[in-house]
């Protein structure tokens, strides 16, 4: 069984609380995927569970044999880091959203050259409750459905591991958008999973600006 060695970029909350525990403790995961380096430029960043830690991704790549990169950084850096990985022949797992436009998707596809995997982190697909709901819908357990609503209520952005007064999700330079872009990405793929591709799309938009955020 081939074991793929990976480099994880970004040691924030999602990496420490989700990705790294999954790599280390997920059923059957450690037999196939092994994180051999973590990278974070933040001064306060420290390693995790004895995995070699670097402040520079170039140094990590030189010191370790790498097969894939896991991008756990803020949204604005996703495209750059995923392209960096693909251009070096690494497969890429990237936190959502991976890309923000069709042109960015085209860049990633060209860089992958039909031989590298680019995987968005769409973990809600694998939530047992969601999988059960999908099974009920597929089986017609509730009859024909015609309306679905997703609602999220938050008074502030996720503070993340830094616990600063202004989390990165509130900064345009890091987040590239608000909760619709950040958490809303999940709802898009969940709806596509149960309803398929839409025949048409309608929407209305508005701006509810948090006083402390960009």
């Amino acid at each position: 069984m081939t074991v793929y060695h990976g480099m994880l970029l970004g040691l924030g909350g999602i990496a420490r609380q989700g990705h790294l525990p999954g790599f280390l403790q997920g059923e059957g995961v450690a037999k196939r995927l092994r994180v051999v380096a973590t990278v974070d430029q933040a001064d306060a960043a420290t390693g995790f569970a004895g995995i070699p830690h670097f402040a520079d991704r170039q140094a990590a790549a030189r010191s370790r044999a790498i097969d894939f990169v896991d991008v756990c950084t803020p949204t604005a850096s996703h495209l750059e880091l995923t392209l960096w990985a693909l251009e070096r022949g690494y497969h890429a797992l990237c936190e959502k959203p991976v890309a923000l436009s069709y042109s960015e998707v085209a860049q990633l596809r060209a860089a992958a050259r039909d031989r590298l995997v680019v995987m968005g982190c769409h973990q809600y697909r694998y939530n047992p409750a969601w999988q059960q709901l999908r099974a009920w819908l597929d089986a017609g357990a509730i009859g024909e459905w015609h309306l679905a609503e997703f609602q999220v209520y938050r008074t502030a952005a996720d503070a993340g591991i830094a616990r600063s007064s202004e989390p990165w999700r509130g900064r345009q330079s890091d987040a590239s958008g608000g909760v619709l872009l950040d958490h809303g990405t999940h709802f898009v793929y969940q709806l596509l999973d149960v309803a398929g591709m839409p025949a048409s799309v309608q929407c209305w938009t508005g701006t509810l600006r948090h006083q402390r955020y960009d």
Side-chain angles (χ1 to χ4, degrees), residues 130 133-134 136-138 140 142-149 190-196:
W130 178 250
L133 177 59
R134 287 191 61 186
W136 282 334
L137 293 175
D138 291 342
I142 63 171
E144 184 176 354
W145 65 280
H146 61 90
L147 176 67
E149 292 186 3
Q190 285 182 277
L191 190 57
L192 291 175
D193 283 350
V194 296

Side-chain angles (χ1 to χ4, degrees), residues 19 45 74 78 82 107 126 137 149 172 183 185:
H19 289 236
H78 288 180
T82 304
Q107 291 181 60
Y126 309 100
L137 293 175
E149 292 186 3
Q172 176 69 17
H183 198 75
T185 301

Side-chain angles (χ1 to χ4, degrees), residues 47-67:
F48 187 96
I51 299 172
H53 180 66
F54 299 82
D56 177 74
R57 63 180 185 266
Q58 307 284 3
R62 287 193 297 268
S63 67
R64 295 288 183 271
I66 300 295
D67 300 302

Side-chain angles (χ1 to χ4, degrees), residues 161-191:
I161 198 169
R163 303 296 178 190
S164 62
S165 59
E166 185 183 25
W168 70 261
R169 288 177 175 84
R171 296 192 297 265
Q172 176 69 17
S173 60
D174 290 326
S176 299
V179 67
L180 181 63
L181 177 65
D182 179 43
H183 198 75
T185 301
H186 292 302
F187 297 151
V188 172
Y189 68 73
Q190 285 182 277
L191 190 57

Side-chain angles (χ1 to χ4, degrees), residues 44-203:
T46 56
F48 187 96
I51 299 172
H53 180 66
F54 299 82
D56 177 74
R57 63 180 185 266
Q58 307 284 3
R62 287 193 297 268
S63 67
R64 295 288 183 271
I66 300 295
D67 300 302
F68 72 94
V69 166
D70 182 7
V71 180
C72 295
T73 56
T75 301
S77 62
H78 288 180
L79 179 66
E80 175 198 351
L81 294 177
T82 304
L83 286 172
W84 176 85
L86 295 174
E87 288 165 357
R88 284 155 183 77
Y90 306 147
H91 302 291
L93 170 67
C94 183
E95 265 297 330
K96 49 76 191 165
V98 181
L100 303 183
S101 68
Y102 183 85
S103 63
E104 291 187 358
V105 173
Q107 291 181 60
L108 294 171
R109 182 173 183 175
R113 301 183 296 279
D114 296 324
R115 65 181 181 85
L116 296 172
V117 174
V118 180
M119 180 69 182
C121 190
H122 294 171
Q123 73 272 20
Y124 285 9
R125 280 189 166 133
Y126 309 100
N127 182 295
W130 178 250
Q131 291 187 328
Q132 179 62 75
L133 177 59
R134 287 191 61 186
W136 282 334
L137 293 175
D138 291 342
I142 63 171
E144 184 176 354
W145 65 280
H146 61 90
L147 176 67
E149 292 186 3
F150 293 108
Q151 297 180 346
V152 176
Y153 297 96
R154 289 181 177 174
T155 58
D158 186 341
I161 198 169
R163 303 296 178 190
S164 62
S165 59
E166 185 183 25
W168 70 261
R169 288 177 175 84
R171 296 192 297 265
Q172 176 69 17
S173 60
D174 290 326
S176 299
V179 67
L180 181 63
L181 177 65
D182 179 43
H183 198 75
T185 301
H186 292 302
F187 297 151
V188 172
Y189 68 73
Q190 285 182 277
L191 190 57
L192 291 175
D193 283 350
V194 296
M197 292 298 291
S200 63
V201 176
Q202 294 177 301
C203 71

